[in-house]
Amino acid sequence: MKKIIVIPGDGIGQEITASAVKVLQKVDEKFKLGLEYDYRDAGGTSYEKFGTPLTDEALDACKKADGVLFGAVGGKKWDSLPVHLRPEKAIFGLRKGLGLFANLRPTKVYPELINSSPLKPELVGGSDLLIVRELVGGIYFGPRCESEQVNGVEQAWDTEIYSVPEIERITKLAFETAKLRRGKVTSVDKANVLAASRLWRKVVVDVAKHFPDVELNHLYVDNAAMQLVLNPKQFDVIVTNNIFGDILSDEAAVIGGSIGLMPSASIGELTSLYEPIHGSAPDIAGKDLANPMGTILSAAMLLRYSLRQEAAAKAIEAAIDKTLADGWRTADIYTDGFKKVGTAQVTEIICDNL
Ligand code: IPM
Ligand code: MG
């Protein structure tokens, strides 16, 4: 048996993970994967039940599992809680607790959705890039001060720290991944200003020497942000630090037309975790409006990377392709002339297409 911990989380996290489990069950019937599910809470939902966004018990269960399928966390309701109780702490706790140092965020342009892209079709058509974001270091995890007084003036600060081993492991993974793709790595930093970025660039250059067949170039993050909308086709694998990866992956996600379709894999030392890129969208939660495809595609990544079930992963991806090709659209990607469906119905259609 293969144990999957499902963490629905908050808002639409509940319905999209339910959809993904339905699809996994269907694929399990076909490919005899022997999947088993166990559920845990996280985020605001966990705070309401246990007074903390992530319990030690939930983290332990994840450590013992074969893979974690995560929905989303957050909601207005919990925005005013002190920092250590906020829903986002759950995802940071899981990332740190499971050692999830690499976040893989692929952006694929579906020909059927090209008109939903904010960019011109001729510009985005054929783009296929993967952002490899460092996930447990840098400014999101460095020492910080919420508030201090200096000469009677209030200030706050955060710190960007990267060590050589931290940069090495994420860079190696990026190069190894590039070898399986088109063999090109773009490292994104701000080495013209930041010391941590200068070390980043030096380590990336050193690691690159072990991968002579992979092409490497460097971009400053401001330029990278511009290049992503100017000419996304130039990219294969982008490797970058935590904060730049956070920002650029949202930008890259919409190139394909909708963030609702974008999956991610967080790879680490223990169990890996899979989640859609989008958030918990509390405004549409429970209304059967959410697009479950990002989560379903994340489940496909779980099968691929954690369970090494490539055929089953491909079957899910093909079922999504067919659903889109047949004209089915959830509200976020709906345009005139297509068939509008809700979360539950699109899930059934995807299952039927498996
Ligand atoms: C993401 C999200 C998280 C992050 C938030 C929810 C803390 O934006 O996974 O990209 O910033 O890492
Ligand atoms: Mg983000």
Side-chain angles (χ1 to χ4, degrees):
M1 291 308 256
K2 296 283 176 200
K3 170 76 70 68
I4 297 174
I5 300 285
V6 182
I7 303 185
D10 307 323
I12 58 167
Q14 300 285 335
E15 50 215 274
I16 55 180
T17 47
S19 292
V21 169
K22 279 201 181 118
V23 172
L24 280 173
Q25 282 167 335
K26 184 75 196 275
V27 94
D28 193 1
E29 273 171 37
K30 226 179 136 175
F31 290 84
K32 309 276 175 262
L33 308 173
L35 305 180
E36 220 178 54
Y37 309 88
D38 215 345
Y39 289 79
R40 291 293 183 279
D41 292 304
T45 312
S46 171
Y47 171 76
E48 298 296 337
K49 277 194 199 165
F50 308 111
T52 169
L54 180 71
T55 62
D56 291 343
E57 195 279 326
L59 177 60
D60 276 346
C62 293
K63 284 182 183 167
K64 288 180 203 130
D66 293 294
V68 179
L69 184 67
F70 188 89
V73 289
K76 277 231 154 31
K77 212 175 146 185
W78 305 291
D79 274 355
S80 51
L81 285 173
V83 185
H84 69 286
L85 295 176
R86 289 179 56 139
E88 293 77 17
K89 269 281 154 190
I91 188 67
F92 285 119
L94 284 163
R95 286 173 186 170
K96 202 72 183 180
L98 297 173
L100 305 173
F101 67 88
N103 187 220
L104 273 46
R105 299 189 165 186
T107 283
K108 180 173 156 189
V109 177
Y110 290 86
E112 300 88 3
L113 294 181
I114 207 155
N115 292 318
S116 308
S117 174
L119 303 181
K120 296 190 192 84
E122 63 272 25
L123 219 81
V124 286
S127 356
D128 174 10
L129 62 100
L130 175 74
I131 297 189
V132 178
R133 166 188 175 191
E134 200 291 325
L135 203 58
V136 289
I139 200 162
Y140 286 12
F141 286 92
R144 61 170 54 94
C145 171
E146 295 291 325
S147 170
E148 70 179 12
Q149 297 286 328
V150 172
N151 299 328
V153 180
E154 184 182 18
Q155 62 178 28
W157 47 266
D158 305 271
T159 326
E160 167 94 345
I161 301 178
Y162 270 111
S163 67
V164 171
E166 280 178 301
I167 306 168
E168 273 172 355
R169 65 178 178 183
I170 186 81
T171 307
K172 274 186 198 142
L173 193 136
F175 275 90
E176 275 154 14
T177 313
K179 272 175 83 169
L180 304 172
R181 296 171 47 100
R182 299 193 306 282
K184 186 176 175 196
V185 169
T186 302
S187 171
V188 171
D189 62 37
K190 189 68 185 173
N192 51 345
V193 182
L194 303 175
S197 274
R198 283 188 283 275
L199 181 68
W200 180 280
R201 193 174 283 217
K202 178 171 138 343
V203 175
V204 170
V205 168
D206 285 346
V207 169
K209 290 176 188 146
H210 301 281
F211 297 89
D213 44 347
V214 176
E215 182 191 337
L216 169 69
N217 72 324
H218 305 270
L219 288 180
Y220 295 138
V221 62
D222 45 354
N223 186 21
M226 183 177 74
Q227 294 299 330
L228 263 175
V229 290
L230 216 52
N231 177 17
K233 279 182 241 185
Q234 71 184 281
F235 296 109
D236 179 15
V237 173
I238 295 178
V239 63
T240 189
N241 70 13
N242 203 340
I243 186 166
F244 299 159
D246 185 18
I247 298 164
L248 293 180
S249 62
D250 269 32
E251 189 189 355
V254 290
I255 291 174
S258 168
I259 196 168
L261 264 91
M262 296 303 150
S264 85
S266 299
I267 309 288
E269 295 145 8
L270 297 160
T271 320
S272 296
L273 179 145
Y274 303 82
E275 60 173 323
I277 289 200
H278 61 73
S280 58
D283 50 320
I284 59 162
K287 296 186 178 156
D288 195 40
L289 285 171
N291 184 350
M293 292 182 182
T295 316
I296 294 168
L297 290 167
S298 301
M301 287 183 99
L302 187 157
L303 297 180
R304 169 170 297 125
Y305 293 114
S306 284
L307 306 184
R308 307 274 159 206
Q309 294 286 351
E310 181 64 25
K314 282 226 169 79
I316 293 182
E317 289 160 354
I320 297 255
D321 286 348
K322 175 156 180 16
T323 306
L324 291 171
D326 289 347
W328 302 104
R329 299 284 187 274
T330 43
D332 56 316
I333 47 175
Y334 174 79
T335 45
D336 277 351
F338 289 96
K339 300 176 274 192
K340 202 177 206 165
V341 275
T343 315
Q345 201 190 338
V346 85
T347 305
E348 267 173 47
I349 295 167
I350 294 165
C351 284
D352 289 344
N353 285 338
L354 264 166

